Amino acid sequence: MKKSIWTLLLSGTLVLGACKKSPPLSDAAIIPLPLEISNGSGSFALTPETGIKLIGSGDHLTKVGEHLAEKLRPATGFDIPVSFDAGQIVLELTGNEFSEAYQIEISDAEIKITSAGEAGLFYGVQTLLQLFPHEIANSTVQSVNWEIPGGTIKDEPTFGYRGSMLDVARHFISIEDVKYYIDQMAVYKFNYLHLHLSDDQGWRIEIKSWPKLTEIGGSTEVGGGDGGFYTQEQYKEIIAYAADRFITIVPEIDMPGHTNSALASYAELNPGVNLPNGKLDSVNKAPLDYEMPLKNPQASELYTGIEVGWSTFAPKLELTYAFVDSVVREITEITPGPYFHIGGDESHVTEKEDYVYFVERVQDIVSKYGKTSIGWDEVATAKMLPGNVAQFWALEENAKLAKEQGSKVLMSPAKKAYLDMQYDSTSRIGLHWAAYVELDSAYLWEPTEYAAGISAENILGVEAPLWTETVTNRADIDYLVFPRLTAIAEVAWTKKERRSWEGYSKRISVHGKKWDIQGVGFYKSPKVIW
Ligand code: ACM
């Protein structure tokens, strides 16, 4: 009875408001763009009676339904009950496998999202949320016709690894901001968050067997602020929050270079005191090709600048490996995902042969604890264990070395995928050592054609890192990350043949309207009509 009144009211609204008729489904501002969109007849309208019906069995099924309802309730003011009994928005889990593919069918009577996996269902929900008018992003009730054009969407990702990285070492990023970032990643169907947990300026994860790492090494950051760190409980909280959004955490301990915060915490790990100018301290008079631990090693000083390439662990010191073993053991014990990132970049003061020896031993430690190593592309100069991954950021020759060893490459070319690069010379923060990366530049590249000799079968996926030398708060994150993160999302998810700058630049303007509503301080690129 109620329903027919609503149908009447709605059709009245449609007749009166014919000029407001929504565009066809194929014009919807979905990012990343799905594989196939077919227009149908009619449209589905959300009403106060609409509920979500779940079909199937899966640990996360109810959570996925609730996630959708929670996003729809504030702006519509509707109850949107979630149940296994009834509802016009149907979420059907057709299998119990890992699948990111999904289908959405929209008719007058219902919306049905189907997937053989919970992740796929979650991505279907993300797409559905992007089909509603942008006012859906409001946190207070809006008077809007919540209507979606009829049709069908079939979708699946190009790459299985779609990641972003937060450098929580240069500037510490609070748990609240990490969760905020995870929420944003989920909207764009990213599935890996890489946390750069240590660097010269800070150690950000509690290691119970080496407590001074956080007591001392976590006590500052670039610019001399207070720094901070995650307790293991807090790290687990981040992992659980991400897992609810089908995002897997990849922890990174960067080594043997980028290790000053550890060297400042424990004198005995020092081969000598490396100063930021790259010279050895006169105190210990130790050359870098030392053989023995120093008798009276000194801890290095905490560092709050932004130079790179001047610190190193001592690869010939056995204690180094006992230390690394403890760190890897404690972190892997609380990390459910398959990867452990060992860093390996810019170890400019580590002897070449020491570097290779170090990387190979650390890979063995990671493997012993049941994880697969990822390392920045330099690790390909060592013998990589089968299945290990090289993250291409700078040198094609390293990506080629990885390929020749049968290893996969994770594509993060700094000139395209680094979210901390300035947009242009006027950008208020960011660096530009790799390039200025305007939005169109971040969008217009193809991972399978970017590095000579590296093609689809060699590529694990794509990752967009945010280094934080110049990033101190959420406003800074917003400015550098949005809209570029969405460009990388589409590069990673959508097939090359489906992508066009013209299409993306139109769709992104709708996302800009949502960000304005949500208070996301994004960069209003002059390349887009917002
Ligand atoms: C890097 O940008 N040093 C990986």
Side-chain angles (χ1 to χ4, degrees), residues 170 254 258 308 345-346 376 378 393 414 418 433 467:
R170 265 45 174 276
D254 199 352
H258 289 275
V308 298
D345 57 321
E346 298 174 313
W376 297 106
E378 292 96 320
W393 66 283
Y418 270 28
W433 56 263
W467 299 99

Side-chain angles (χ1 to χ4, degrees), residues 74-384:
T76 62
F78 303 159
D79 288 346
I80 324 268
V82 180
S83 74
F84 284 87
D85 304 325
Q88 298 72 35
I89 301 178
V90 179
L91 306 187
E92 182 174 3
L93 193 59
T94 58
N96 244 326
E97 57 202 62
F98 174 75
S99 173
E100 297 188 312
Y102 68 90
Q103 180 163 331
I104 307 181
E105 289 161 277
I106 304 156
S107 66
D108 293 333
E110 72 170 25
I111 293 177
K112 187 170 197 182
I113 308 180
T114 48
S115 175
E118 292 173 317
L121 220 46
F122 183 75
Y123 297 142
V125 161
Q126 298 311 320
T127 296
L128 174 60
L129 286 166
Q130 295 188 17
L131 298 178
F132 287 101
H134 67 263
E135 291 89 345
I136 199 72
N138 280 279
S139 55
T140 55
V141 177
Q142 306 295 305
S143 162
V144 169
N145 185 12
W146 304 110
E147 190 195 348
I148 294 179
T152 304
I153 294 174
K154 288 188 185 149
D155 200 10
E156 64 182 22
T158 304
F159 291 108
Y161 187 117
R162 304 174 305 282
S164 185
M165 186 203 83
L166 286 178
D167 168 10
V168 299
R170 265 45 174 276
H171 280 101
F172 182 61
I173 299 181
S174 69
I175 297 199
E176 291 66 40
D177 285 350
V178 173
K179 287 182 178 173
Y180 165 79
Y181 198 74
I182 288 170
D183 283 335
Q184 300 287 0
M185 287 175 66
V187 170
Y188 297 103
K189 304 185 176 83
F190 283 94
N191 59 358
Y192 284 92
L193 172 61
H194 166 184
L195 293 176
H196 183 77
L197 291 165
S198 69
D199 212 303
D200 290 321
Q201 300 85 348
W203 187 283
R204 308 299 180 203
I205 175 107
E206 175 191 23
I207 302 296
K208 293 182 195 288
S209 55
W210 294 78
K212 286 196 287 184
L213 288 171
T214 44
E215 274 167 37
I216 296 173
S219 66
T220 192
E221 60 186 4
V222 168
D226 289 343
F229 66 93
Y230 311 121
T231 64
Q232 293 196 1
E233 286 308 308
Q234 289 170 328
Y235 175 76
K236 287 192 232 171
E237 189 184 323
I238 292 172
I239 285 179
Y241 191 86
D244 280 348
R245 288 148 186 83
F246 299 89
I247 292 172
T248 300
I249 300 296
V250 179
E252 176 185 354
I253 296 300
D254 199 352
M255 49 193 163
H258 289 275
T259 41
N260 186 69
S261 61
L263 298 170
S265 307
Y266 287 97
E268 58 269 41
L269 294 175
N270 285 260
V273 181
N274 295 315
L275 292 175
N277 64 9
K279 303 228 164 52
L280 284 173
D281 191 358
S282 55
V283 177
N284 287 302
K285 304 221 169 18
L288 265 173
D289 57 347
Y290 50 85
E291 293 288 347
M292 299 287 290
L294 295 165
K295 281 222 175 67
N296 293 305
Q298 294 214 342
S300 65
E301 287 183 10
L302 288 166
Y303 179 65
T304 59
I306 63 167
E307 295 302 315
V308 298
W310 51 270
S311 61
T312 185
F313 276 156
K316 287 180 179 148
L317 185 62
E318 208 41 46
L319 181 68
T320 298
Y321 300 99
F323 168 81
V324 172
D325 192 289
S326 301
V327 169
V328 173
R329 174 178 52 76
E330 288 199 31
I331 296 176
T332 55
E333 272 171 7
I334 52 174
T335 302
Y339 299 115
F340 186 97
H341 201 302
I342 62 174
D345 57 321
E346 298 174 313
S347 287
H348 301 322
V349 294
T350 320
E351 290 294 318
K352 169 82 188 142
E353 80 178 13
D354 287 357
Y355 174 84
V356 166
Y357 175 75
F358 178 88
V359 167
E360 291 174 1
R361 278 200 65 177
V362 172
Q363 285 184 107
D364 285 341
I365 293 170
V366 170
S367 170
K368 181 177 87 175
Y369 289 111
K371 302 293 182 193
T372 297
S373 290
I374 304 181
W376 297 106
D377 62 47
E378 292 96 320
V379 298
T381 60
K383 187 164 167 13
M384 296 174 71

Side-chain angles (χ1 to χ4, degrees), residues 405-457:
Q405 301 192 46
S407 289
K408 293 260 183 186
V409 177
L410 178 58
M411 296 297 290
S412 298
K415 290 180 193 329
K416 295 289 180 184
Y418 270 28
L419 298 171
D420 60 308
M421 290 297 110
Q422 288 176 292
Y423 295 96
D424 64 25
S425 62
T426 69
S427 298
R428 70 172 178 82
I429 48 170
L431 304 174
H432 58 262
W433 56 263
Y436 291 114
V437 185
E438 241 306 343
L439 181 58
D440 53 350
S441 180
Y443 184 83
L444 290 167
W445 65 288
E446 166 52 33
T448 62
E449 293 165 7
Y450 187 83
I454 306 299
S455 49
E457 64 272 22

